[in-house]
Amino acid sequence: SIKARKPVEIQDHHRLLRNTQEEVHVEGNEGASEPRFSEWACQRSTPLKHQNDFLATQLEILQKYAEMKDENHDYSRALAFRRASCVVKSFPITVTNVNQLNGINHVGPHSKRVIGELLDGYCDEINRIVNEEWFEKMKMFTGVFGVGPSTAKKWIERGWTSIKDAQESTDISKDWRVQWGLAFHDDLMNPVKSNEAYRFTEIIQTEAEKILPGIVVQLTGGFRRGKHQGHDIDILFTHPNGEETGFLPKLLTRLEKLNMVLCGSHESSSFHEKVLSEDFKLTARGQLDHFEKWLGICKLPKDLVSGDDAQIPLSNGLEKCTEIKENVDSLDDYEPKAKKQRKCHGDNSPFTIATSERDWIARRVDFIMSPYSQYYYALVGWTGSKQFNRDLRLYSQKVLNRKLTSHGFYDFTTGKTLPANSETEVFENLNLQYQHPKNRNC
Ligand code: DCT
Ligand code: MG
């Protein structure tokens, strides 16, 4: 197996390529094509559909459980299970014997034991977890928008056993996300389908182009990786001429006029040069980057949601915006209301709105605005998966001695960032073979 490598300087491109592309031979699968297995998940293809679905799903139960149990935000145990899951997802053959995983990094003794037991037909540890009431409640409560493990634990300590208990309480969090999340829990638990995400993106693209011609509108997140459903719609924007300032508030004002906004919160960019090199500090809201963004809940017309499931091709990189056929309204219409936070203080309470008759469904939406110079790094980051990002960033640090974020790729030796003019260039900068979004599903 490959040992952890010391950081290397990018002087000899070929030497580096050779080093980083070194692969592990898969035992028990000798043949003409000699499949090989890379140490880093970002060097492997991890498709959505693979041959080891059962094992991956079971390992992710252990991951989830460890994430919820571990105090002090020590996710190392959880991550160990996730890495093992990631290995089986990209493994070239169906795992039928645990020894097939000998010599493969990231399948530690614990994961190996579990895989062995699962292959024998019974894993006591997983069986106990899935039958644990506490775990059921944690999964249920952390499924509420705005509720993390610590709030979920508090709710369990209060003796709450159902979402209804939280909905009926007069003492829930003041956080707007939790209030609206609870009121619209049924809507939000119903997964967003890919056709719906694509249609919503088209609407956004049309409106965005009216506000700022030339704007780039890209659906990211799981849908860009080819997922058929997801928990939200993540849309990334940029403008090649660097004219993005003020765009998001205008877009939100426009969407409010179209009666498509339920609630949300606008965050200004908190980017500064140090973000590129310093240890990644989460922003106030626990976000992973410093882009200007709007996180909220939109109202999607029911007919948009229930359309047929046409498969829309996955795209890479910049898309040409659709031609504008409608007349462009006067820009005055789009003046942003002078408020930083677009919170939910309507006349009606969230619960009244949720239970009223309505022809729309509530959907979680993230809008992210990236400066053009950072766009392709932002695109890789917001495409994910989360685990693919973790692996890319760790690889970047350990193998290249560079820092990768959604804002850029920083070289500690020269103190400079390496620009990228396409997603392919991001991978080239990282000395990695390009991975199509559909193969980043680790
Ligand atoms: N992301 C990340 N780290 C996180 C959260 C998100 O790197 N802690 C990135 C990867 C995916 C992207 O942001 C969008 O996030 P989500 O919507 O949470 O993920 P998703 O893959 O789109 O999942 P879903 O299909 O459930 O929305
Ligand atoms: Mg998503």
Side-chain angles (χ1 to χ4, degrees), residues 221-222 231-234:
H231 92 286
D232 68 354
I233 306 176
D234 307 292

Side-chain angles (χ1 to χ4, degrees), residues 200-236:
F200 179 71
T201 309
E202 276 171 21
I203 296 175
I204 298 304
Q205 186 152 6
T206 307
E207 296 308 322
E209 176 74 15
K210 289 184 206 165
I211 298 164
L212 184 55
I215 184 104
V216 174
V217 181
Q218 176 68 58
L219 177 62
T220 61
F223 293 114
R224 187 160 185 260
R225 303 197 309 275
K227 277 176 68 176
H228 293 290
Q229 55 183 48
H231 92 286
D232 68 354
I233 306 176
D234 307 292
I235 299 181
L236 179 64

